[in-house]
Amino acid sequence: MTRTNGQQSSLDKIATIIENKRTLPGALLPILHDIQHEFGYIPKNALPILAKQLQQTEAEIYGVISFYAHFHLSERGRHTVEICRGEACQAMGSRQLEQAIQGQLGVTYGQTTEDKNITLEPVYCLGNCACSPSIKVGDKTYGRMTAEKFMQLSQELSVYKVSLGEEL
Ligand code: FES
């Protein structure tokens, strides 16, 4: 298989990151942090390189990545929207809300919208139960969310992306 220049430079970056930290005790976690910092996620083609260099199996590496919610194996959107699936939120209609939001965005949990603006994730209590149903966008929690309010919010997220180039 021939590799494009982009793929080769990604592989080179991964190899350099591993080389810089592989002798540290417990090297895998700092290496994973560095790779995610570089790419925004852990590219799947990093797994065989990590396995070989750290003398572990790909399954072991995958197990560590999937254990920590912080690590992602696919490209993320500019904003992460978390919908609360906790009991209090469910009692206040979060299941219907999540269906509406998934329909609006055209993605399900763990996926990113086509325009790479929003990644959707579930969460199991945002500590905002009194204002259920709740969602979180980045660091900000929104209570008493409805499909209509989310429609407005997602448009704002889109506008902010284009006009300011900054997080909301
Ligand atoms: S259950 Fe949703 S904020 Fe607590």
Side-chain angles (χ1 to χ4, degrees), residues 103-130:
Q104 281 179 35
L105 298 178
V107 295
T108 185
Y109 288 127
Q111 295 181 337
T112 299
T113 54
E114 238 176 58
D115 62 2
K116 306 272 184 241
N117 198 34
I118 293 176
T119 298
L120 197 61
E121 295 287 358
V123 68
Y124 295 90
C125 190
L126 290 166
N128 195 41
C129 312

mmCIF file with all atom_site columns, all heavy atoms in Angstrom, residues 103-130:
data_model
loop_
_atom_site.group_PDB
_atom_site.id
_atom_site.type_symbol
_atom_site.label_atom_id
_atom_site.label_alt_id
_atom_site.label_comp_id
_atom_site.label_asym_id
_atom_site.label_entity_id
_atom_site.label_seq_id
_atom_site.pdbx_PDB_ins_code
_atom_site.Cartn_x
_atom_site.Cartn_y
_atom_site.Cartn_z
_atom_site.occupancy
_atom_site.B_iso_or_equiv
_atom_site.pdbx_formal_charge
_atom_site.auth_seq_id
_atom_site.auth_comp_id
_atom_site.auth_asym_id
_atom_site.auth_atom_id
_atom_site.pdbx_PDB_model_num
ATOM 1   N N   . GLY A 1 103 ? -32.046 13.958 15.673 1.00 0.00 ? 103 GLY A N   1
ATOM 2   C CA  . GLY A 1 103 ? -32.702 14.211 14.391 1.00 0.00 ? 103 GLY A CA  1
ATOM 3   C C   . GLY A 1 103 ? -32.253 15.535 13.783 1.00 0.00 ? 103 GLY A C   1
ATOM 4   O O   . GLY A 1 103 ? -31.970 15.626 12.593 1.00 0.00 ? 103 GLY A O   1
ATOM 5   N N   . GLN A 1 104 ? -32.158 16.556 14.628 1.00 0.00 ? 104 GLN A N   1
ATOM 6   C CA  . GLN A 1 104 ? -31.732 17.877 14.119 1.00 0.00 ? 104 GLN A CA  1
ATOM 7   C C   . GLN A 1 104 ? -30.309 17.825 13.571 1.00 0.00 ? 104 GLN A C   1
ATOM 8   O O   . GLN A 1 104 ? -30.002 18.404 12.538 1.00 0.00 ? 104 GLN A O   1
ATOM 9   C CB  . GLN A 1 104 ? -31.761 18.906 15.255 1.00 0.00 ? 104 GLN A CB  1
ATOM 10  C CG  . GLN A 1 104 ? -33.141 19.437 15.589 1.00 0.00 ? 104 GLN A CG  1
ATOM 11  C CD  . GLN A 1 104 ? -33.097 20.431 16.737 1.00 0.00 ? 104 GLN A CD  1
ATOM 12  O OE1 . GLN A 1 104 ? -32.148 21.195 16.878 1.00 0.00 ? 104 GLN A OE1 1
ATOM 13  N NE2 . GLN A 1 104 ? -34.124 20.438 17.573 1.00 0.00 ? 104 GLN A NE2 1
ATOM 14  N N   . LEU A 1 105 ? -29.433 17.138 14.299 1.00 0.00 ? 105 LEU A N   1
ATOM 15  C CA  . LEU A 1 105 ? -28.014 17.132 13.917 1.00 0.00 ? 105 LEU A CA  1
ATOM 16  C C   . LEU A 1 105 ? -27.689 16.057 12.881 1.00 0.00 ? 105 LEU A C   1
ATOM 17  O O   . LEU A 1 105 ? -26.655 16.133 12.210 1.00 0.00 ? 105 LEU A O   1
ATOM 18  C CB  . LEU A 1 105 ? -27.132 16.919 15.153 1.00 0.00 ? 105 LEU A CB  1
ATOM 19  C CG  . LEU A 1 105 ? -27.215 17.995 16.241 1.00 0.00 ? 105 LEU A CG  1
ATOM 20  C CD1 . LEU A 1 105 ? -26.323 17.607 17.430 1.00 0.00 ? 105 LEU A CD1 1
ATOM 21  C CD2 . LEU A 1 105 ? -26.784 19.359 15.692 1.00 0.00 ? 105 LEU A CD2 1
ATOM 22  N N   . GLY A 1 106 ? -28.545 15.042 12.803 1.00 0.00 ? 106 GLY A N   1
ATOM 23  C CA  . GLY A 1 106 ? -28.280 13.938 11.874 1.00 0.00 ? 106 GLY A CA  1
ATOM 24  C C   . GLY A 1 106 ? -27.155 13.032 12.346 1.00 0.00 ? 106 GLY A C   1
ATOM 25  O O   . GLY A 1 106 ? -26.475 12.407 11.533 1.00 0.00 ? 106 GLY A O   1
ATOM 26  N N   . VAL A 1 107 ? -26.938 12.965 13.642 1.00 0.00 ? 107 VAL A N   1
ATOM 27  C CA  . VAL A 1 107 ? -25.903 12.072 14.195 1.00 0.00 ? 107 VAL A CA  1
ATOM 28  C C   . VAL A 1 107 ? -26.446 11.401 15.455 1.00 0.00 ? 107 VAL A C   1
ATOM 29  O O   . VAL A 1 107 ? -27.409 11.872 16.057 1.00 0.00 ? 107 VAL A O   1
ATOM 30  C CB  . VAL A 1 107 ? -24.600 12.826 14.577 1.00 0.00 ? 107 VAL A CB  1
ATOM 31  C CG1 . VAL A 1 107 ? -23.920 13.406 13.365 1.00 0.00 ? 107 VAL A CG1 1
ATOM 32  C CG2 . VAL A 1 107 ? -24.860 13.910 15.624 1.00 0.00 ? 107 VAL A CG2 1
ATOM 33  N N   . THR A 1 108 ? -25.788 10.307 15.825 1.00 0.00 ? 108 THR A N   1
ATOM 34  C CA  . THR A 1 108 ? -26.127 9.678  17.088 1.00 0.00 ? 108 THR A CA  1
ATOM 35  C C   . THR A 1 108 ? -24.929 9.847  18.028 1.00 0.00 ? 108 THR A C   1
ATOM 36  O O   . THR A 1 108 ? -23.962 10.529 17.684 1.00 0.00 ? 108 THR A O   1
ATOM 37  C CB  . THR A 1 108 ? -26.510 8.191  16.859 1.00 0.00 ? 108 THR A CB  1
ATOM 38  O OG1 . THR A 1 108 ? -26.937 7.650  18.100 1.00 0.00 ? 108 THR A OG1 1
ATOM 39  C CG2 . THR A 1 108 ? -25.354 7.379  16.317 1.00 0.00 ? 108 THR A CG2 1
ATOM 40  N N   . TYR A 1 109 ? -24.990 9.248  19.229 1.00 0.00 ? 109 TYR A N   1
ATOM 41  C CA  . TYR A 1 109 ? -23.912 9.432  20.198 1.00 0.00 ? 109 TYR A CA  1
ATOM 42  C C   . TYR A 1 109 ? -22.564 8.942  19.649 1.00 0.00 ? 109 TYR A C   1
ATOM 43  O O   . TYR A 1 109 ? -22.492 7.910  19.006 1.00 0.00 ? 109 TYR A O   1
ATOM 44  C CB  . TYR A 1 109 ? -24.237 8.709  21.497 1.00 0.00 ? 109 TYR A CB  1
ATOM 45  C CG  . TYR A 1 109 ? -25.326 9.385  22.282 1.00 0.00 ? 109 TYR A CG  1
ATOM 46  C CD1 . TYR A 1 109 ? -26.439 8.694  22.714 1.00 0.00 ? 109 TYR A CD1 1
ATOM 47  C CD2 . TYR A 1 109 ? -25.238 10.737 22.584 1.00 0.00 ? 109 TYR A CD2 1
ATOM 48  C CE1 . TYR A 1 109 ? -27.445 9.324  23.444 1.00 0.00 ? 109 TYR A CE1 1
ATOM 49  C CE2 . TYR A 1 109 ? -26.235 11.374 23.308 1.00 0.00 ? 109 TYR A CE2 1
ATOM 50  C CZ  . TYR A 1 109 ? -27.326 10.660 23.725 1.00 0.00 ? 109 TYR A CZ  1
ATOM 51  O OH  . TYR A 1 109 ? -28.307 11.300 24.437 1.00 0.00 ? 109 TYR A OH  1
ATOM 52  N N   . GLY A 1 110 ? -21.546 9.710  19.934 1.00 0.00 ? 110 GLY A N   1
ATOM 53  C CA  . GLY A 1 110 ? -20.192 9.348  19.510 1.00 0.00 ? 110 GLY A CA  1
ATOM 54  C C   . GLY A 1 110 ? -19.886 9.826  18.100 1.00 0.00 ? 110 GLY A C   1
ATOM 55  O O   . GLY A 1 110 ? -18.770 9.662  17.615 1.00 0.00 ? 110 GLY A O   1
ATOM 56  N N   . GLN A 1 111 ? -20.882 10.429 17.425 1.00 0.00 ? 111 GLN A N   1
ATOM 57  C CA  . GLN A 1 111 ? -20.645 10.879 16.046 1.00 0.00 ? 111 GLN A CA  1
ATOM 58  C C   . GLN A 1 111 ? -20.518 12.397 15.972 1.00 0.00 ? 111 GLN A C   1
ATOM 59  O O   . GLN A 1 111 ? -20.926 13.113 16.897 1.00 0.00 ? 111 GLN A O   1
ATOM 60  C CB  . GLN A 1 111 ? -21.802 10.428 15.153 1.00 0.00 ? 111 GLN A CB  1
ATOM 61  C CG  . GLN A 1 111 ? -21.889 8.920  15.033 1.00 0.00 ? 111 GLN A CG  1
ATOM 62  C CD  . GLN A 1 111 ? -23.029 8.484  14.113 1.00 0.00 ? 111 GLN A CD  1
ATOM 63  O OE1 . GLN A 1 111 ? -23.997 9.217  13.896 1.00 0.00 ? 111 GLN A OE1 1
ATOM 64  N NE2 . GLN A 1 111 ? -22.897 7.275  13.586 1.00 0.00 ? 111 GLN A NE2 1
ATOM 65  N N   . THR A 1 112 ? -19.968 12.844 14.850 1.00 0.00 ? 112 THR A N   1
ATOM 66  C CA  . THR A 1 112 ? -19.739 14.273 14.615 1.00 0.00 ? 112 THR A CA  1
ATOM 67  C C   . THR A 1 112 ? -20.514 14.703 13.384 1.00 0.00 ? 112 THR A C   1
ATOM 68  O O   . THR A 1 112 ? -20.590 13.949 12.406 1.00 0.00 ? 112 THR A O   1
ATOM 69  C CB  . THR A 1 112 ? -18.226 14.510 14.405 1.00 0.00 ? 112 THR A CB  1
ATOM 70  O OG1 . THR A 1 112 ? -17.549 14.094 15.593 1.00 0.00 ? 112 THR A OG1 1
ATOM 71  C CG2 . THR A 1 112 ? -17.899 15.967 14.124 1.00 0.00 ? 112 THR A CG2 1
ATOM 72  N N   . THR A 1 113 ? -21.103 15.890 13.446 1.00 0.00 ? 113 THR A N   1
ATOM 73  C CA  . THR A 1 113 ? -21.886 16.379 12.309 1.00 0.00 ? 113 THR A CA  1
ATOM 74  C C   . THR A 1 113 ? -20.995 16.523 11.073 1.00 0.00 ? 113 THR A C   1
ATOM 75  O O   . THR A 1 113 ? -19.780 16.684 11.184 1.00 0.00 ? 113 THR A O   1
ATOM 76  C CB  . THR A 1 113 ? -22.526 17.747 12.620 1.00 0.00 ? 113 THR A CB  1
ATOM 77  O OG1 . THR A 1 113 ? -21.497 18.644 13.055 1.00 0.00 ? 113 THR A OG1 1
ATOM 78  C CG2 . THR A 1 113 ? -23.568 17.633 13.713 1.00 0.00 ? 113 THR A CG2 1
ATOM 79  N N   . GLU A 1 114 ? -21.640 16.472 9.912  1.00 0.00 ? 114 GLU A N   1
ATOM 80  C CA  . GLU A 1 114 ? -20.896 16.519 8.652  1.00 0.00 ? 114 GLU A CA  1
ATOM 81  C C   . GLU A 1 114 ? -20.019 17.757 8.544  1.00 0.00 ? 114 GLU A C   1
ATOM 82  O O   . GLU A 1 114 ? -18.925 17.709 7.993  1.00 0.00 ? 114 GLU A O   1
ATOM 83  C CB  . GLU A 1 114 ? -21.894 16.505 7.493  1.00 0.00 ? 114 GLU A CB  1
ATOM 84  C CG  . GLU A 1 114 ? -21.669 15.356 6.551  1.00 0.00 ? 114 GLU A CG  1
ATOM 85  C CD  . GLU A 1 114 ? -22.735 15.331 5.486  1.00 0.00 ? 114 GLU A CD  1
ATOM 86  O OE1 . GLU A 1 114 ? -22.880 16.334 4.748  1.00 0.00 ? 114 GLU A OE1 1
ATOM 87  O OE2 . GLU A 1 114 ? -23.417 14.305 5.415  1.00 0.00 ? 114 GLU A OE2 1
ATOM 88  N N   . ASP A 1 115 ? -20.500 18.890 9.103  1.00 0.00 ? 115 ASP A N   1
ATOM 89  C CA  . ASP A 1 115 ? -19.713 20.120 9.007  1.00 0.00 ? 115 ASP A CA  1
ATOM 90  C C   . ASP A 1 115 ? -18.630 20.187 10.090 1.00 0.00 ? 115 ASP A C   1
ATOM 91  O O   . ASP A 1 115 ? -17.972 21.214 10.246 1.00 0.00 ? 115 ASP A O   1
ATOM 92  C CB  . ASP A 1 115 ? -20.625 21.362 9.087  1.00 0.00 ? 115 ASP A CB  1
ATOM 93  C CG  . ASP A 1 115 ? -21.364 21.445 10.429 1.00 0.00 ? 115 ASP A CG  1
ATOM 94  O OD1 . ASP A 1 115 ? -21.152 20.581 11.309 1.00 0.00 ? 115 ASP A OD1 1
ATOM 95  O OD2 . ASP A 1 115 ? -22.165 22.386 10.590 1.00 0.00 ? 115 ASP A OD2 1
ATOM 96  N N   . LYS A 1 116 ? -18.453 19.106 10.821 1.00 0.00 ? 116 LYS A N   1
ATOM 97  C CA  . LYS A 1 116 ? -17.419 18.993 11.871 1.00 0.00 ? 116 LYS A CA  1
ATOM 98  C C   . LYS A 1 116 ? -17.618 20.020 12.993 1.00 0.00 ? 116 LYS A C   1
ATOM 99  O O   . LYS A 1 116 ? -16.673 20.387 13.676 1.00 0.00 ? 116 LYS A O   1
ATOM 100 C CB  . LYS A 1 116 ? -16.000 19.189 11.299 1.00 0.00 ? 116 LYS A CB  1
ATOM 101 C CG  . LYS A 1 116 ? -15.663 18.293 10.138 1.00 0.00 ? 116 LYS A CG  1
ATOM 102 C CD  . LYS A 1 116 ? -15.095 16.991 10.624 1.00 0.00 ? 116 LYS A CD  1
ATOM 103 C CE  . LYS A 1 116 ? -14.659 16.100 9.486  1.00 0.00 ? 116 LYS A CE  1
ATOM 104 N NZ  . LYS A 1 116 ? -15.355 14.830 9.423  1.00 0.00 ? 116 LYS A NZ  1
ATOM 105 N N   . ASN A 1 117 ? -18.854 20.474 13.154 1.00 0.00 ? 117 ASN A N   1
ATOM 106 C CA  . ASN A 1 117 ? -19.093 21.496 14.177 1.00 0.00 ? 117 ASN A CA  1
ATOM 107 C C   . ASN A 1 117 ? -19.440 20.898 15.531 1.00 0.00 ? 117 ASN A C   1
ATOM 108 O O   . ASN A 1 117 ? -19.022 21.419 16.552 1.00 0.00 ? 117 ASN A O   1
ATOM 109 C CB  . ASN A 1 117 ? -20.217 22.447 13.720 1.00 0.00 ? 117 ASN A CB  1
ATOM 110 C CG  . ASN A 1 117 ? -20.204 23.738 14.497 1.00 0.00 ? 117 ASN A CG  1
ATOM 111 O OD1 . ASN A 1 117 ? -19.134 24.221 14.882 1.00 0.00 ? 117 ASN A OD1 1
ATOM 112 N ND2 . ASN A 1 117 ? -21.356 24.299 14.759 1.00 0.00 ? 117 ASN A ND2 1
ATOM 113 N N   . ILE A 1 118 ? -20.227 19.823 15.547 1.00 0.00 ? 118 ILE A N   1
ATOM 114 C CA  . ILE A 1 118 ? -20.716 19.293 16.829 1.00 0.00 ? 118 ILE A CA  1
ATOM 115 C C   . ILE A 1 118 ? -20.486 17.788 16.928 1.00 0.00 ? 118 ILE A C   1
ATOM 116 O O   . ILE A 1 118 ? -20.824 17.044 16.004 1.00 0.00 ? 118 ILE A O   1
ATOM 117 C CB  . ILE A 1 118 ? -22.226 19.585 17.002 1.00 0.00 ? 118 ILE A CB  1
ATOM 118 C CG1 . ILE A 1 118 ? -22.447 21.094 17.146 1.00 0.00 ? 118 ILE A CG1 1
ATOM 119 C CG2 . ILE A 1 118 ? -22.800 18.838 18.204 1.00 0.00 ? 118 ILE A CG2 1
ATOM 120 C CD1 . ILE A 1 118 ? -23.910 21.512 17.215 1.00 0.00 ? 118 ILE A CD1 1
ATOM 121 N N   . THR A 1 119 ? -19.910 17.363 18.048 1.00 0.00 ? 119 THR A N   1
ATOM 122 C CA  . THR A 1 119 ? -19.846 15.939 18.408 1.00 0.00 ? 119 THR A CA  1
ATOM 123 C C   . THR A 1 119 ? -20.843 15.727 19.539 1.00 0.00 ? 119 THR A C   1
ATOM 124 O O   . THR A 1 119 ? -20.883 16.519 20.483 1.00 0.00 ? 119 THR A O   1
ATOM 125 C CB  . THR A 1 119 ? -18.424 15.552 18.870 1.00 0.00 ? 119 THR A CB  1
ATOM 126 O OG1 . THR A 1 119 ? -17.521 15.758 17.793 1.00 0.00 ? 119 THR A OG1 1
ATOM 127 C CG2 . THR A 1 119 ? -18.372 14.078 19.286 1.00 0.00 ? 119 THR A CG2 1
ATOM 128 N N   . LEU A 1 120 ? -21.634 14.683 19.414 1.00 0.00 ? 120 LEU A N   1
ATOM 129 C CA  . LEU A 1 120 ? -22.686 14.415 20.398 1.00 0.00 ? 120 LEU A CA  1
ATOM 130 C C   . LEU A 1 120 ? -22.252 13.291 21.331 1.00 0.00 ? 120 LEU A C   1
ATOM 131 O O   . LEU A 1 120 ? -21.765 12.254 20.870 1.00 0.00 ? 120 LEU A O   1
ATOM 132 C CB  . LEU A 1 120 ? -23.961 14.007 19.647 1.00 0.00 ? 120 LEU A CB  1
ATOM 133 C CG  . LEU A 1 120 ? -25.265 14.063 20.415 1.00 0.00 ? 120 LEU A CG  1
ATOM 134 C CD1 . LEU A 1 120 ? -25.563 15.483 20.882 1.00 0.00 ? 120 LEU A CD1 1
ATOM 135 C CD2 . LEU A 1 120 ? -26.406 13.557 19.537 1.00 0.00 ? 120 LEU A CD2 1
ATOM 136 N N   . GLU A 1 121 ? -22.420 13.509 22.632 1.00 0.00 ? 121 GLU A N   1
ATOM 137 C CA  . GLU A 1 121 ? -22.040 12.490 23.623 1.00 0.00 ? 121 GLU A CA  1
ATOM 138 C C   . GLU A 1 121 ? -23.126 12.380 24.692 1.00 0.00 ? 121 GLU A C   1
ATOM 139 O O   . GLU A 1 121 ? -23.765 13.372 25.034 1.00 0.00 ? 121 GLU A O   1
ATOM 140 C CB  . GLU A 1 121 ? -20.725 12.871 24.325 1.00 0.00 ? 121 GLU A CB  1
ATOM 141 C CG  . GLU A 1 121 ? -19.504 12.915 23.429 1.00 0.00 ? 121 GLU A CG  1
ATOM 142 C CD  . GLU A 1 121 ? -18.998 11.547 23.011 1.00 0.00 ? 121 GLU A CD  1
ATOM 143 O OE1 . GLU A 1 121 ? -19.573 10.527 23.451 1.00 0.00 ? 121 GLU A OE1 1
ATOM 144 O OE2 . GLU A 1 121 ? -18.038 11.506 22.224 1.00 0.00 ? 121 GLU A OE2 1
ATOM 145 N N   . PRO A 1 122 ? -23.296 11.173 25.269 1.00 0.00 ? 122 PRO A N   1
ATOM 146 C CA  . PRO A 1 122 ? -24.199 11.031 26.418 1.00 0.00 ? 122 PRO A CA  1
ATOM 147 C C   . PRO A 1 122 ? -23.442 11.339 27.702 1.00 0.00 ? 122 PRO A C   1
ATOM 148 O O   . PRO A 1 122 ? -22.219 11.216 27.752 1.00 0.00 ? 122 PRO A O   1
ATOM 149 C CB  . PRO A 1 122 ? -24.574 9.546  26.379 1.00 0.00 ? 122 PRO A CB  1
ATOM 150 C CG  . PRO A 1 122 ? -23.369 8.882  25.799 1.00 0.00 ? 122 PRO A CG  1
ATOM 151 C CD  . PRO A 1 122 ? -22.730 9.886  24.857 1.00 0.00 ? 122 PRO A CD  1
ATOM 152 N N   . VAL A 1 123 ? -24.157 11.729 28.740 1.00 0.00 ? 123 VAL A N   1
ATOM 153 C CA  . VAL A 1 123 ? -23.543 11.936 30.044 1.00 0.00 ? 123 VAL A CA  1
ATOM 154 C C   . VAL A 1 123 ? -24.581 11.493 31.070 1.00 0.00 ? 123 VAL A C   1
ATOM 155 O O   . VAL A 1 123 ? -25.775 11.466 30.758 1.00 0.00 ? 123 VAL A O   1
ATOM 156 C CB  . VAL A 1 123 ? -23.079 13.410 30.196 1.00 0.00 ? 123 VAL A CB  1
ATOM 157 C CG1 . VAL A 1 123 ? -24.249 14.358 30.256 1.00 0.00 ? 123 VAL A CG1 1
ATOM 158 C CG2 . VAL A 1 123 ? -22.183 13.606 31.392 1.00 0.00 ? 123 VAL A CG2 1
ATOM 159 N N   . TYR A 1 124 ? -24.126 11.114 32.283 1.00 0.00 ? 124 TYR A N   1
ATOM 160 C CA  . TYR A 1 124 ? -25.081 10.499 33.215 1.00 0.00 ? 124 TYR A CA  1
ATOM 161 C C   . TYR A 1 124 ? -25.253 11.289 34.500 1.00 0.00 ? 124 TYR A C   1
ATOM 162 O O   . TYR A 1 124 ? -25.306 10.742 35.568 1.00 0.00 ? 124 TYR A O   1
ATOM 163 C CB  . TYR A 1 124 ? -24.669 9.038  33.461 1.00 0.00 ? 124 TYR A CB  1
ATOM 164 C CG  . TYR A 1 124 ? -24.805 8.258  32.178 1.00 0.00 ? 124 TYR A CG  1
ATOM 165 C CD1 . TYR A 1 124 ? -23.750 8.166  31.287 1.00 0.00 ? 124 TYR A CD1 1
ATOM 166 C CD2 . TYR A 1 124 ? -26.026 7.699  31.822 1.00 0.00 ? 124 TYR A CD2 1
ATOM 167 C CE1 . TYR A 1 124 ? -23.893 7.506  30.078 1.00 0.00 ? 124 TYR A CE1 1
ATOM 168 C CE2 . TYR A 1 124 ? -26.186 7.040  30.608 1.00 0.00 ? 124 TYR A CE2 1
ATOM 169 C CZ  . TYR A 1 124 ? -25.109 6.946  29.746 1.00 0.00 ? 124 TYR A CZ  1
ATOM 170 O OH  . TYR A 1 124 ? -25.276 6.309  28.543 1.00 0.00 ? 124 TYR A OH  1
ATOM 171 N N   . CYS A 1 125 ? -25.363 12.531 34.417 1.00 0.00 ? 125 CYS A N   1
ATOM 172 C CA  . CYS A 1 125 ? -25.719 13.527 35.423 1.00 0.00 ? 125 CYS A CA  1
ATOM 173 C C   . CYS A 1 125 ? -24.723 14.677 35.330 1.00 0.00 ? 125 CYS A C   1
ATOM 174 O O   . CYS A 1 125 ? -23.509 14.491 35.391 1.00 0.00 ? 125 CYS A O   1
ATOM 175 C CB  . CYS A 1 125 ? -25.753 13.015 36.867 1.00 0.00 ? 125 CYS A CB  1
ATOM 176 S SG  . CYS A 1 125 ? -26.487 14.297 37.960 1.00 0.00 ? 125 CYS A SG  1
ATOM 177 N N   . LEU A 1 126 ? -25.271 15.842 35.157 1.00 0.00 ? 126 LEU A N   1
ATOM 178 C CA  . LEU A 1 126 ? -24.447 17.047 35.042 1.00 0.00 ? 126 LEU A CA  1
ATOM 179 C C   . LEU A 1 126 ? -24.501 17.856 36.328 1.00 0.00 ? 126 LEU A C   1
ATOM 180 O O   . LEU A 1 126 ? -24.022 18.984 36.375 1.00 0.00 ? 126 LEU A O   1
ATOM 181 C CB  . LEU A 1 126 ? -24.942 17.899 33.867 1.00 0.00 ? 126 LEU A CB  1
ATOM 182 C CG  . LEU A 1 126 ? -24.679 17.295 32.479 1.00 0.00 ? 126 LEU A CG  1
ATOM 183 C CD1 . LEU A 1 126 ? -25.497 18.014 31.416 1.00 0.00 ? 126 LEU A CD1 1
ATOM 184 C CD2 . LEU A 1 126 ? -23.198 17.361 32.146 1.00 0.00 ? 126 LEU A CD2 1
ATOM 185 N N   . GLY A 1 127 ? -25.110 17.273 37.378 1.00 0.00 ? 127 GLY A N   1
ATOM 186 C CA  . GLY A 1 127 ? -25.233 18.008 38.632 1.00 0.00 ? 127 GLY A CA  1
ATOM 187 C C   . GLY A 1 127 ? -26.192 19.174 38.514 1.00 0.00 ? 127 GLY A C   1
ATOM 188 O O   . GLY A 1 127 ? -26.099 20.152 39.252 1.00 0.00 ? 127 GLY A O   1
ATOM 189 N N   . ASN A 1 128 ? -27.116 19.065 37.580 1.00 0.00 ? 128 ASN A N   1
ATOM 190 C CA  . ASN A 1 128 ? -28.061 20.153 37.335 1.00 0.00 ? 128 ASN A CA  1
ATOM 191 C C   . ASN A 1 128 ? -29.487 19.607 37.328 1.00 0.00 ? 128 ASN A C   1
ATOM 192 O O   . ASN A 1 128 ? -30.351 20.072 36.591 1.00 0.00 ? 128 ASN A O   1
ATOM 193 C CB  . ASN A 1 128 ? -27.712 20.802 35.977 1.00 0.00 ? 128 ASN A CB  1
ATOM 194 C CG  . ASN A 1 128 ? -28.366 22.140 35.782 1.00 0.00 ? 128 ASN A CG  1
ATOM 195 O OD1 . ASN A 1 128 ? -28.433 22.943 36.712 1.00 0.00 ? 128 ASN A OD1 1
ATOM 196 N ND2 . ASN A 1 128 ? -28.855 22.390 34.576 1.00 0.00 ? 128 ASN A ND2 1
ATOM 197 N N   . CYS A 1 129 ? -29.696 18.579 38.188 1.00 0.00 ? 129 CYS A N   1
ATOM 198 C CA  . CYS A 1 129 ? -30.951 17.813 38.159 1.00 0.00 ? 129 CYS A CA  1
ATOM 199 C C   . CYS A 1 129 ? -32.185 18.697 38.394 1.00 0.00 ? 129 CYS A C   1
ATOM 200 O O   . CYS A 1 129 ? -33.251 18.426 37.850 1.00 0.00 ? 129 CYS A O   1
ATOM 201 C CB  . CYS A 1 129 ? -30.912 16.710 39.203 1.00 0.00 ? 129 CYS A CB  1
ATOM 202 S SG  . CYS A 1 129 ? -29.413 15.735 39.174 1.00 0.00 ? 129 CYS A SG  1
ATOM 203 N N   . ALA A 1 130 ? -32.035 19.739 39.209 1.00 0.00 ? 130 ALA A N   1
ATOM 204 C CA  . ALA A 1 130 ? -33.195 20.581 39.525 1.00 0.00 ? 130 ALA A CA  1
ATOM 205 C C   . ALA A 1 130 ? -33.713 21.299 38.290 1.00 0.00 ? 130 ALA A C   1
ATOM 206 O O   . ALA A 1 130 ? -34.862 21.753 38.267 1.00 0.00 ? 130 ALA A O   1
ATOM 207 C CB  . ALA A 1 130 ? -32.821 21.593 40.602 1.00 0.00 ? 130 ALA A CB  1
#
